[in-house]
Amino acid sequence: MAKTSFARAVSVVFLVAGLATVSAATGVPSARAGAPVIGWRVAAVHPHDPGAFTQGLVFRDGALFESTGRYGQSSLRRVDAATGRVLARRNLPASFFGEGLEEVAGRLFQLTWREHAVLVYDAATFDAVGQKYLPTEGWGICHDGASFVVSDGTSVLTRYDTATFARLGRVRVADDGVPVDNINELECAHGHIYANVWMTDRVAVIDPANGRVLAWLDLSGLRVQMGGLPLEAITNGLAHDPRRNRFFVTGKLWPRLFELVVDPVPDGRAVPVPPVSPVSPVSKDAP
């Protein structure tokens, strides 16, 4: 997100002030209350375009796709993960701010921040093949095999139908009962939702059934390895490679793309709660 509101940024600082940290070099967790912090290690490091204001990342069948933001600079890209070279690029209209990105059945779905539009492309050609209406701001998106999950910068995750993008239901994210606001970039993997929290280097691992935070990743150690990054160069890019079970991680204006091996999430799923009542589809004319 551009998200330049200082007040909201300060609120995030207070929100995460009580969370424990991990070793900057290894990601080894320290003790904390609430959901545990799980460890990680860097398996590989690759170059990344330091001018890319990364908003979304997808890895499918050996191809890395990236969504970048900022008005007048937003783009959709196919990137060679090993070299950082941009293999294909499609620029968004200057009035659109690119956001989260997901791929389903050969189609790329790119969110826009405040334009209420989900841009749909052919993943092979980058040809535009459609557009869906989104009733909220668009921040992050992933698909769990059944439906899209979309974040809007609050503590709420909303499900949308794969074919129609009709709104299906929602769940509120909380850690030990405390809502987690500013949910941003999303990645669906291992039956969980991995969610970056805006303006932090933290990733919440969420139970999609009830929104409970099962674990945290603290990725601040990656920033330490780069050093000298501008204030806005925050963690913002998660993509899972299921074949090798690695996560690609980068950030806005980062010069590097990391491959991480992440520790398993503890078996601590909460008791299932009653399903959220379906929400009637929202028309484009709704407020």
Side-chain angles (χ1 to χ4, degrees):
M1 279 294 149
K3 295 41 167 228
T4 54
S5 168
F6 177 78
R8 293 186 66 189
V10 170
S11 73
V12 176
V13 172
F14 282 100
L15 174 66
V16 301
L19 300 179
T21 60
V22 298
S23 163
T26 65
V28 176
S30 59
R32 66 177 295 276
V37 180
I38 58 176
W40 49 266
R41 66 177 177 84
V42 175
V45 183
H46 308 293
H48 180 255
D49 179 6
F53 201 71
T54 305
Q55 299 293 91
L57 210 60
V58 173
F59 188 82
R60 287 291 185 278
D61 300 322
L64 185 68
F65 300 96
E66 184 171 12
S67 171
T68 71
R70 288 181 163 166
Y71 289 110
Q73 300 179 38
S74 293
S75 67
L76 173 68
R77 304 177 179 195
R78 184 186 300 110
V79 179
D80 183 334
T83 66
R85 186 165 65 94
V86 178
L87 304 175
R89 174 171 177 158
R90 181 186 178 109
N91 294 328
L92 274 63
S95 59
F96 282 7
F97 191 115
E99 281 290 344
L101 185 68
E102 180 59 297
E103 185 274 343
V104 178
R107 296 286 187 264
L108 290 168
F109 296 78
Q110 185 178 29
L111 301 183
T112 56
W113 180 19
R114 291 176 167 172
E115 290 68 57
H116 299 288
V118 182
L119 309 177
V120 187
Y121 310 92
D122 183 291
T125 65
F126 279 17
D127 290 339
V129 295
Q131 185 170 311
K132 305 293 185 180
Y133 175 70
L134 186 69
T136 66
E137 288 188 2
W139 287 41
I141 183 173
C142 69
H143 194 279
D144 64 0
S147 60
F148 288 107
V149 180
V150 174
S151 64
D152 60 9
T154 67
S155 61
V156 173
L157 296 176
T158 304
R159 287 190 174 275
Y160 292 90
D161 182 83
T162 303
T164 66
F165 236 83
R167 197 162 58 177
L168 302 175
R170 62 186 74 181
V171 66
R172 188 173 299 278
V173 178
D175 182 12
D176 200 20
V178 179
V180 179
D181 292 318
N182 298 294
I183 296 296
N184 196 6
E185 160 79 328
L186 304 178
E187 179 70 6
C188 293
H190 302 308
H192 306 124
I193 300 171
Y194 291 73
N196 173 241
V197 179
W198 176 60
M199 287 299 291
T200 80
D201 294 311
R202 290 194 171 270
V203 174
V205 186
I206 302 164
D207 184 337
N210 47 42
R212 179 191 176 195
V213 176
L214 302 173
W216 289 92
L217 287 169
D218 186 329
L219 303 180
S220 56
L222 299 180
R223 292 173 54 84
V224 171
Q225 294 184 37
M226 290 177 286
L229 295 175
L231 182 63
E232 59 189 344
I234 57 175
T235 307
N236 203 41
L238 300 170
H240 183 240
D241 176 1
R243 185 178 66 83
R244 297 184 301 153
N245 193 22
R246 292 184 178 181
F247 284 85
F248 289 92
V249 177
T250 190
K252 306 175 193 289
L253 310 177
W254 281 21
R256 297 179 188 173
L257 172 74
F258 296 88
E259 288 188 43
L260 302 185
V261 176
V262 176
D263 288 351
V265 176
D267 185 12
R269 287 181 180 270
V271 176
V273 297
V276 177
S277 300
V279 178
S280 300
V282 179
S283 72
K284 191 169 183 178
D285 295 327

